[in-house]
Amino acid sequence: MDGFPQGGAAEGAFGGVARAFGENFAGGEEVGAAVCVYHRGRVVADLWGGWADPRAGDPWRPRTLGVLASPTKALVTAAFLHMAEREGVGLDEPVVRYWPEFGAHGKESVTARMILSHRSGVVALDHRPLTHRALKEHTPVAEALADAVPAWEPGTAHGYHATTYGHLLSEVIRRVTGLTAGRYFARHIAAPLGLDCHIGLTDPAVAAGAHLATMLESKAEALMNGEEPGTELDMLVALGDPNSLTYRSMIGSMSLDQALDPEVEDPSYGGLGSAQSLARLFAALVGEVDGVRLLTPARLTELTRPHSRGNCRVILLPSAWGLGFMLPDSPVFPASAGLTPRAFGFDGANGTFVFADPDHDLAFAYVQNAGSRVIGRMNDRAHRLVEAAYRAVGL
């Protein structure tokens, strides 16, 4: 990483993670980034480098926050599963038990398990696309979800709930606890673990002290902003067709006329986090971290059991889902990176990648701001880092 500010350290065999991290910079692929690995409940690699804002010459710091994009859903999932255990909410209970209005248009049978496994059919908000104002007020989004028509009979197929996922779970959390997903996560997960992870920087004091990375445009964001999709993948072809479910579930479900507001909760895409804190969160999902364990062993076993597998009706690629998390094997969460069968996590279309492996007591987070120039598969920079982490544990 010659010529770049850098810091951190890696222990023993995890020095391979440091070498891969440096190679990403040396190859000119990275602008600013951090990677953190936990093994057996403790940090074994914590590295950062490059620029949080290259134009201003502002270096990446240990606790720099990057926009998470889809891995925001990991934070919401952690909050929901924690809430469900704490409050005795059954995953197979109909959502209408807590949110009666949601039962309209044939959704009365939808359960939390269906949402978590991307089987509810509630994937499009093109009838009432998300706006900045709706996100800020929360209630209009819940009303739009209640008025949504499932794209298939709930429970009979699976498709990535790209836009709707976080909002669906957030409203159930709010109906049960009075707290949105972001506020529940902040109080019951981030605070006990000391995390710099946020679904909305709603606390002015925290927002004032946050160091945010300037995010560069990824391929996915370029497509959302009107770039010609191309024909490389069926998904890209579908994104060029306003009548397709792919388009309706993604581009057609959003009408955001301003840049991301870090103070506003967007529980599907707008989370913020440091690599340190994300790795710590995932470590607490598979084991105990400084006395905190977020899930029971039984729930962890359930989480890693495949609930959906096969071709996704939305992204038109093979996918596998446990309870709210990606499972191997798919182009975006591939076994080729070393991921073992019970590994679970999230790939962000912007290049960010997080996972945990309970069988090897491993937790990993990679956050960056260069974006990803590929779509429909795992970013090469993340792939190298995950491979290095697995080599360190002898796989």
Side-chain angles (χ1 to χ4, degrees), residues 294-331:
L294 295 176
L295 301 177
T296 64
R299 182 70 90 199
L300 178 61
T301 296
E302 190 178 22
L303 184 156
T304 58
R305 176 174 63 82
H307 283 63
S308 298
R309 191 184 292 280
N311 212 48
C312 172
R313 287 203 175 185
V314 173
I315 64 170
L316 308 179
L317 291 167
S319 64
W321 294 94
L323 284 180
F325 292 95
M326 293 177 175
L327 304 178
D329 186 23
S330 72

mmCIF file of all heavy atoms in Angstrom, residues 294-331:
data_model
loop_
_atom_site.group_PDB
_atom_site.id
_atom_site.type_symbol
_atom_site.label_atom_id
_atom_site.label_comp_id
_atom_site.label_asym_id
_atom_site.label_seq_id
_atom_site.Cartn_x
_atom_site.Cartn_y
_atom_site.Cartn_z
ATOM 1 N N LEU A 294 -25.900 -12.898 20.934
ATOM 2 C CA LEU A 294 -27.159 -12.370 20.448
ATOM 3 C C LEU A 294 -28.209 -13.435 20.197
ATOM 4 O O LEU A 294 -29.409 -13.155 20.275
ATOM 5 C CB LEU A 294 -26.927 -11.566 19.160
ATOM 6 C CG LEU A 294 -26.080 -10.303 19.320
ATOM 7 C CD1 LEU A 294 -25.853 -9.660 17.959
ATOM 8 C CD2 LEU A 294 -26.755 -9.312 20.273
ATOM 9 N N LEU A 295 -27.795 -14.652 19.848
ATOM 10 C CA LEU A 295 -28.743 -15.703 19.501
ATOM 11 C C LEU A 295 -28.465 -16.966 20.295
ATOM 12 O O LEU A 295 -27.317 -17.252 20.643
ATOM 13 C CB LEU A 295 -28.644 -16.038 18.005
ATOM 14 C CG LEU A 295 -28.900 -14.917 17.005
ATOM 15 C CD1 LEU A 295 -28.670 -15.428 15.588
ATOM 16 C CD2 LEU A 295 -30.303 -14.351 17.147
ATOM 17 N N THR A 296 -29.498 -17.737 20.556
ATOM 18 C CA THR A 296 -29.314 -19.033 21.185
ATOM 19 C C THR A 296 -28.721 -20.004 20.168
ATOM 20 O O THR A 296 -28.881 -19.820 18.953
ATOM 21 C CB THR A 296 -30.644 -19.602 21.687
ATOM 22 O OG1 THR A 296 -31.501 -19.824 20.560
ATOM 23 C CG2 THR A 296 -31.320 -18.642 22.662
ATOM 24 N N PRO A 297 -28.060 -21.066 20.616
ATOM 25 C CA PRO A 297 -27.558 -22.073 19.667
ATOM 26 C C PRO A 297 -28.661 -22.645 18.781
ATOM 27 O O PRO A 297 -28.434 -22.923 17.597
ATOM 28 C CB PRO A 297 -26.936 -23.126 20.578
ATOM 29 C CG PRO A 297 -26.527 -22.369 21.803
ATOM 30 C CD PRO A 297 -27.597 -21.328 21.993
ATOM 31 N N ALA A 298 -29.856 -22.837 19.342
ATOM 32 C CA ALA A 298 -30.960 -23.391 18.556
ATOM 33 C C ALA A 298 -31.352 -22.454 17.423
ATOM 34 O O ALA A 298 -31.596 -22.886 16.291
ATOM 35 C CB ALA A 298 -32.158 -23.667 19.455
ATOM 36 N N ARG A 299 -31.427 -21.154 17.718
ATOM 37 C CA ARG A 299 -31.779 -20.186 16.680
ATOM 38 C C ARG A 299 -30.682 -20.105 15.624
ATOM 39 O O ARG A 299 -30.964 -19.970 14.431
ATOM 40 C CB ARG A 299 -32.020 -18.813 17.292
ATOM 41 C CG ARG A 299 -32.444 -17.769 16.272
ATOM 42 C CD ARG A 299 -33.858 -18.031 15.761
ATOM 43 N NE ARG A 299 -34.834 -17.349 16.567
ATOM 44 C CZ ARG A 299 -36.129 -17.634 16.615
ATOM 45 N NH1 ARG A 299 -36.577 -18.655 15.903
ATOM 46 N NH2 ARG A 299 -36.975 -16.958 17.371
ATOM 47 N N LEU A 300 -29.424 -20.211 16.047
ATOM 48 C CA LEU A 300 -28.320 -20.178 15.096
ATOM 49 C C LEU A 300 -28.405 -21.364 14.136
ATOM 50 O O LEU A 300 -28.197 -21.220 12.921
ATOM 51 C CB LEU A 300 -26.985 -20.188 15.839
ATOM 52 C CG LEU A 300 -25.725 -20.200 14.979
ATOM 53 C CD1 LEU A 300 -25.654 -18.962 14.098
ATOM 54 C CD2 LEU A 300 -24.482 -20.284 15.869
ATOM 55 N N THR A 301 -28.739 -22.537 14.670
ATOM 56 C CA THR A 301 -28.898 -23.714 13.810
ATOM 57 C C THR A 301 -30.020 -23.498 12.805
ATOM 58 O O THR A 301 -29.892 -23.824 11.619
ATOM 59 C CB THR A 301 -29.194 -24.956 14.670
ATOM 60 O OG1 THR A 301 -28.071 -25.217 15.510
ATOM 61 C CG2 THR A 301 -29.469 -26.169 13.802
ATOM 62 N N GLU A 302 -31.107 -22.907 13.271
ATOM 63 C CA GLU A 302 -32.244 -22.622 12.391
ATOM 64 C C GLU A 302 -31.859 -21.592 11.331
ATOM 65 O O GLU A 302 -32.235 -21.707 10.156
ATOM 66 C CB GLU A 302 -33.402 -22.105 13.246
ATOM 67 C CG GLU A 302 -34.717 -21.989 12.524
ATOM 68 C CD GLU A 302 -35.824 -21.515 13.454
ATOM 69 O OE1 GLU A 302 -35.516 -20.899 14.497
ATOM 70 O OE2 GLU A 302 -36.991 -21.735 13.116
ATOM 71 N N LEU A 303 -31.097 -20.599 11.725
ATOM 72 C CA LEU A 303 -30.670 -19.530 10.817
ATOM 73 C C LEU A 303 -29.868 -20.080 9.648
ATOM 74 O O LEU A 303 -30.001 -19.615 8.507
ATOM 75 C CB LEU A 303 -29.845 -18.511 11.602
ATOM 76 C CG LEU A 303 -29.340 -17.246 10.931
ATOM 77 C CD1 LEU A 303 -29.087 -16.177 11.974
ATOM 78 C CD2 LEU A 303 -28.048 -17.481 10.166
ATOM 79 N N THR A 304 -29.022 -21.054 9.905
ATOM 80 C CA THR A 304 -28.128 -21.578 8.875
ATOM 81 C C THR A 304 -28.740 -22.705 8.056
ATOM 82 O O THR A 304 -28.089 -23.227 7.151
ATOM 83 C CB THR A 304 -26.814 -22.068 9.505
ATOM 84 O OG1 THR A 304 -27.101 -23.078 10.486
ATOM 85 C CG2 THR A 304 -26.076 -20.928 10.186
ATOM 86 N N ARG A 305 -29.982 -23.064 8.361
ATOM 87 C CA ARG A 305 -30.675 -24.086 7.569
ATOM 88 C C ARG A 305 -31.247 -23.451 6.316
ATOM 89 O O ARG A 305 -31.907 -22.415 6.389
ATOM 90 C CB ARG A 305 -31.805 -24.713 8.394
ATOM 91 C CG ARG A 305 -32.654 -25.713 7.618
ATOM 92 C CD ARG A 305 -33.665 -26.409 8.514
ATOM 93 N NE ARG A 305 -34.637 -25.517 9.112
ATOM 94 C CZ ARG A 305 -35.740 -25.083 8.492
ATOM 95 N NH1 ARG A 305 -35.996 -25.456 7.237
ATOM 96 N NH2 ARG A 305 -36.590 -24.296 9.111
ATOM 97 N N PRO A 306 -31.028 -24.022 5.146
ATOM 98 C CA PRO A 306 -31.590 -23.438 3.920
ATOM 99 C C PRO A 306 -33.120 -23.394 3.966
ATOM 100 O O PRO A 306 -33.772 -24.410 4.194
ATOM 101 C CB PRO A 306 -31.105 -24.380 2.815
ATOM 102 C CG PRO A 306 -29.884 -25.038 3.382
ATOM 103 C CD PRO A 306 -30.154 -25.187 4.846
ATOM 104 N N HIS A 307 -33.662 -22.203 3.753
ATOM 105 C CA HIS A 307 -35.107 -22.003 3.687
ATOM 106 C C HIS A 307 -35.572 -21.773 2.251
ATOM 107 O O HIS A 307 -36.737 -22.027 1.934
ATOM 108 C CB HIS A 307 -35.522 -20.815 4.555
ATOM 109 C CG HIS A 307 -35.568 -21.089 6.016
ATOM 110 N ND1 HIS A 307 -34.455 -21.446 6.753
ATOM 111 C CD2 HIS A 307 -36.597 -21.062 6.905
ATOM 112 C CE1 HIS A 307 -34.802 -21.621 8.026
ATOM 113 N NE2 HIS A 307 -36.094 -21.403 8.136
ATOM 114 N N SER A 308 -34.690 -21.247 1.424
ATOM 115 C CA SER A 308 -35.006 -20.996 0.014
ATOM 116 C C SER A 308 -33.760 -21.311 -0.807
ATOM 117 O O SER A 308 -32.652 -20.938 -0.420
ATOM 118 C CB SER A 308 -35.406 -19.534 -0.221
ATOM 119 O OG SER A 308 -36.570 -19.191 0.499
ATOM 120 N N ARG A 309 -33.970 -21.977 -1.911
ATOM 121 C CA ARG A 309 -32.843 -22.300 -2.788
ATOM 122 C C ARG A 309 -33.355 -22.446 -4.222
ATOM 123 O O ARG A 309 -34.448 -22.940 -4.446
ATOM 124 C CB ARG A 309 -32.172 -23.601 -2.330
ATOM 125 C CG ARG A 309 -30.822 -23.863 -3.019
ATOM 126 C CD ARG A 309 -30.247 -25.217 -2.602
ATOM 127 N NE ARG A 309 -29.839 -25.284 -1.220
ATOM 128 C CZ ARG A 309 -28.692 -24.802 -0.740
ATOM 129 N NH1 ARG A 309 -27.850 -24.179 -1.542
ATOM 130 N NH2 ARG A 309 -28.396 -24.937 0.527
ATOM 131 N N GLY A 310 -32.547 -21.996 -5.170
ATOM 132 C CA GLY A 310 -32.932 -22.094 -6.573
ATOM 133 C C GLY A 310 -32.888 -20.740 -7.245
ATOM 134 O O GLY A 310 -32.297 -19.786 -6.728
ATOM 135 N N ASN A 311 -33.528 -20.640 -8.394
ATOM 136 C CA ASN A 311 -33.477 -19.397 -9.150
ATOM 137 C C ASN A 311 -34.392 -18.357 -8.517
ATOM 138 O O ASN A 311 -35.560 -18.623 -8.251
ATOM 139 C CB ASN A 311 -33.891 -19.633 -10.609
ATOM 140 C CG ASN A 311 -33.171 -18.710 -11.555
ATOM 141 O OD1 ASN A 311 -31.957 -18.566 -11.469
ATOM 142 N ND2 ASN A 311 -33.903 -18.083 -12.459
ATOM 143 N N CYS A 312 -33.844 -17.180 -8.282
ATOM 144 C CA CYS A 312 -34.589 -16.090 -7.647
ATOM 145 C C CYS A 312 -35.501 -15.423 -8.670
ATOM 146 O O CYS A 312 -35.077 -15.088 -9.772
ATOM 147 C CB CYS A 312 -33.592 -15.069 -7.089
ATOM 148 S SG CYS A 312 -34.348 -13.555 -6.467
ATOM 149 N N ARG A 313 -36.751 -15.188 -8.295
ATOM 150 C CA ARG A 313 -37.715 -14.583 -9.210
ATOM 151 C C ARG A 313 -37.445 -13.106 -9.464
ATOM 152 O O ARG A 313 -37.983 -12.545 -10.420
ATOM 153 C CB ARG A 313 -39.134 -14.752 -8.668
ATOM 154 C CG ARG A 313 -39.679 -16.155 -8.766
ATOM 155 C CD ARG A 313 -41.187 -16.141 -8.750
ATOM 156 N NE ARG A 313 -41.739 -17.476 -8.958
ATOM 157 C CZ ARG A 313 -43.035 -17.715 -9.091
ATOM 158 N NH1 ARG A 313 -43.906 -16.726 -9.039
ATOM 159 N NH2 ARG A 313 -43.476 -18.943 -9.288
ATOM 160 N N VAL A 314 -36.640 -12.481 -8.631
ATOM 161 C CA VAL A 314 -36.366 -11.044 -8.786
ATOM 162 C C VAL A 314 -35.041 -10.806 -9.491
ATOM 163 O O VAL A 314 -34.981 -10.102 -10.500
ATOM 164 C CB VAL A 314 -36.416 -10.329 -7.426
ATOM 165 C CG1 VAL A 314 -35.968 -8.869 -7.565
ATOM 166 C CG2 VAL A 314 -37.820 -10.388 -6.851
ATOM 167 N N ILE A 315 -33.958 -11.387 -8.974
ATOM 168 C CA ILE A 315 -32.649 -11.112 -9.588
ATOM 169 C C ILE A 315 -32.286 -12.121 -10.666
ATOM 170 O O ILE A 315 -31.269 -11.974 -11.351
ATOM 171 C CB ILE A 315 -31.532 -11.026 -8.532
ATOM 172 C CG1 ILE A 315 -31.333 -12.359 -7.814
ATOM 173 C CG2 ILE A 315 -31.796 -9.905 -7.540
ATOM 174 C CD1 ILE A 315 -30.095 -12.387 -6.933
ATOM 175 N N LEU A 316 -33.114 -13.167 -10.830
ATOM 176 C CA LEU A 316 -32.977 -14.126 -11.933
ATOM 177 C C LEU A 316 -31.619 -14.816 -11.937
ATOM 178 O O LEU A 316 -31.063 -15.129 -12.988
ATOM 179 C CB LEU A 316 -33.221 -13.410 -13.276
ATOM 180 C CG LEU A 316 -34.530 -12.607 -13.362
ATOM 181 C CD1 LEU A 316 -34.653 -11.925 -14.719
ATOM 182 C CD2 LEU A 316 -35.741 -13.485 -13.077
ATOM 183 N N LEU A 317 -31.092 -15.056 -10.735
ATOM 184 C CA LEU A 317 -29.848 -15.778 -10.539
ATOM 185 C C LEU A 317 -30.064 -16.834 -9.460
ATOM 186 O O LEU A 317 -30.954 -16.687 -8.618
ATOM 187 C CB LEU A 317 -28.729 -14.828 -10.084
ATOM 188 C CG LEU A 317 -28.200 -13.806 -11.090
ATOM 189 C CD1 LEU A 317 -27.337 -12.773 -10.370
ATOM 190 C CD2 LEU A 317 -27.390 -14.507 -12.176
ATOM 191 N N PRO A 318 -29.241 -17.885 -9.416
ATOM 192 C CA PRO A 318 -29.346 -18.834 -8.310
ATOM 193 C C PRO A 318 -29.065 -18.147 -6.978
ATOM 194 O O PRO A 318 -28.177 -17.290 -6.886
ATOM 195 C CB PRO A 318 -28.259 -19.868 -8.633
ATOM 196 C CG PRO A 318 -27.982 -19.708 -10.089
ATOM 197 C CD PRO A 318 -28.211 -18.266 -10.388
ATOM 198 N N SER A 319 -29.822 -18.509 -5.954
ATOM 199 C CA SER A 319 -29.588 -17.940 -4.626
ATOM 200 C C SER A 319 -30.003 -18.939 -3.569
ATOM 201 O O SER A 319 -30.768 -19.874 -3.836
ATOM 202 C CB SER A 319 -30.351 -16.624 -4.436
ATOM 203 O OG SER A 319 -31.750 -16.843 -4.483
ATOM 204 N N ALA A 320 -29.488 -18.745 -2.364
ATOM 205 C CA ALA A 320 -29.848 -19.589 -1.222
ATOM 206 C C ALA A 320 -29.976 -18.692 0.000
ATOM 207 O O ALA A 320 -29.144 -17.804 0.221
ATOM 208 C CB ALA A 320 -28.786 -20.658 -0.985
ATOM 209 N N TRP A 321 -31.025 -18.915 0.792
ATOM 210 C CA TRP A 321 -31.299 -18.086 1.966
ATOM 211 C C TRP A 321 -31.574 -18.954 3.184
ATOM 212 O O TRP A 321 -32.282 -19.961 3.093
ATOM 213 C CB TRP A 321 -32.527 -17.187 1.726
ATOM 214 C CG TRP A 321 -32.324 -16.152 0.675
ATOM 215 C CD1 TRP A 321 -32.642 -16.230 -0.652
ATOM 216 C CD2 TRP A 321 -31.730 -14.868 0.871
ATOM 217 N NE1 TRP A 321 -32.291 -15.077 -1.293
ATOM 218 C CE2 TRP A 321 -31.732 -14.218 -0.388
ATOM 219 C CE3 TRP A 321 -31.209 -14.196 1.977
ATOM 220 C CZ2 TRP A 321 -31.218 -12.942 -0.572
ATOM 221 C CZ3 TRP A 321 -30.697 -12.925 1.801
ATOM 222 C CH2 TRP A 321 -30.708 -12.307 0.545
ATOM 223 N N GLY A 322 -31.023 -18.548 4.315
ATOM 224 C CA GLY A 322 -31.430 -19.076 5.601
ATOM 225 C C GLY A 322 -32.469 -18.142 6.170
ATOM 226 O O GLY A 322 -33.355 -17.666 5.458
ATOM 227 N N LEU A 323 -32.360 -17.841 7.457
ATOM 228 C CA LEU A 323 -33.252 -16.854 8.069
ATOM 229 C C LEU A 323 -32.632 -15.474 7.908
ATOM 230 O O LEU A 323 -31.841 -15.023 8.735
ATOM 231 C CB LEU A 323 -33.464 -17.164 9.554
ATOM 232 C CG LEU A 323 -34.404 -18.310 9.890
ATOM 233 C CD1 LEU A 323 -34.500 -18.482 11.401
ATOM 234 C CD2 LEU A 323 -35.806 -18.060 9.302
ATOM 235 N N GLY A 324 -32.929 -14.817 6.802
ATOM 236 C CA GLY A 324 -32.515 -13.438 6.610
ATOM 237 C C GLY A 324 -31.116 -13.248 6.090
ATOM 238 O O GLY A 324 -30.706 -12.113 5.836
ATOM 239 N N PHE A 325 -30.348 -14.310 5.945
ATOM 240 C CA PHE A 325 -28.971 -14.195 5.485
ATOM 241 C C PHE A 325 -28.740 -15.066 4.263
ATOM 242 O O PHE A 325 -29.342 -16.136 4.120
ATOM 243 C CB PHE A 325 -27.993 -14.624 6.587
ATOM 244 C CG PHE A 325 -27.954 -13.699 7.768
ATOM 245 C CD1 PHE A 325 -28.725 -13.968 8.891
ATOM 246 C CD2 PHE A 325 -27.156 -12.572 7.763
ATOM 247 C CE1 PHE A 325 -28.689 -13.125 9.990
ATOM 248 C CE2 PHE A 325 -27.114 -11.726 8.857
ATOM 249 C CZ PHE A 325 -27.875 -11.996 9.974
ATOM 250 N N MET A 326 -27.825 -14.611 3.393
ATOM 251 C CA MET A 326 -27.398 -15.423 2.263
ATOM 252 C C MET A 326 -26.629 -16.635 2.762
ATOM 253 O O MET A 326 -25.888 -16.559 3.742
ATOM 254 C CB MET A 326 -26.490 -14.609 1.345
ATOM 255 C CG MET A 326 -27.171 -13.464 0.647
ATOM 256 S SD MET A 326 -25.988 -12.517 -0.360
ATOM 257 C CE MET A 326 -27.123 -11.364 -1.162
ATOM 258 N N LEU A 327 -26.819 -17.754 2.068
ATOM 259 C CA LEU A 327 -26.053 -18.972 2.305
ATOM 260 C C LEU A 327 -25.344 -19.351 1.006
ATOM 261 O O LEU A 327 -25.788 -18.971 -0.078
ATOM 262 C CB LEU A 327 -26.977 -20.116 2.724
ATOM 263 C CG LEU A 327 -27.882 -19.919 3.945
ATOM 264 C CD1 LEU A 327 -28.747 -21.164 4.143
ATOM 265 C CD2 LEU A 327 -27.063 -19.630 5.190
ATOM 266 N N PRO A 328 -24.245 -20.120 1.092
ATOM 267 C CA PRO A 328 -23.637 -20.627 -0.137
ATOM 268 C C PRO A 328 -24.612 -21.641 -0.778
ATOM 269 O O PRO A 328 -25.377 -22.277 -0.061
ATOM 270 C CB PRO A 328 -22.373 -21.330 0.347
ATOM 271 C CG PRO A 328 -22.157 -20.820 1.750
ATOM 272 C CD PRO A 328 -23.516 -20.534 2.297
ATOM 273 N N ASP A 329 -24.711 -21.799 -2.069
ATOM 274 C CA ASP A 329 -23.753 -21.331 -3.038
ATOM 275 C C ASP A 329 -24.508 -20.487 -4.058
ATOM 276 O O ASP A 329 -25.550 -20.919 -4.559
ATOM 277 C CB ASP A 329 -23.079 -22.528 -3.705
ATOM 278 C CG ASP A 329 -21.936 -22.153 -4.646
ATOM 279 O OD1 ASP A 329 -21.369 -21.068 -4.471
ATOM 280 O OD2 ASP A 329 -21.631 -22.963 -5.549
ATOM 281 N N SER A 330 -24.027 -19.315 -4.356
ATOM 282 C CA SER A 330 -24.621 -18.472 -5.375
ATOM 283 C C SER A 330 -23.525 -17.573 -5.930
ATOM 284 O O SER A 330 -22.458 -17.449 -5.311
ATOM 285 C CB SER A 330 -25.745 -17.614 -4.773
ATOM 286 O OG SER A 330 -25.211 -16.596 -3.940
ATOM 287 N N PRO A 331 -23.743 -16.928 -7.066
ATOM 288 C CA PRO A 331 -22.688 -16.072 -7.617
ATOM 289 C C PRO A 331 -22.261 -14.945 -6.684
ATOM 290 O O PRO A 331 -21.100 -14.532 -6.710
ATOM 291 C CB PRO A 331 -23.328 -15.520 -8.900
ATOM 292 C CG PRO A 331 -24.343 -16.527 -9.291
ATOM 293 C CD PRO A 331 -24.886 -17.060 -7.995
#
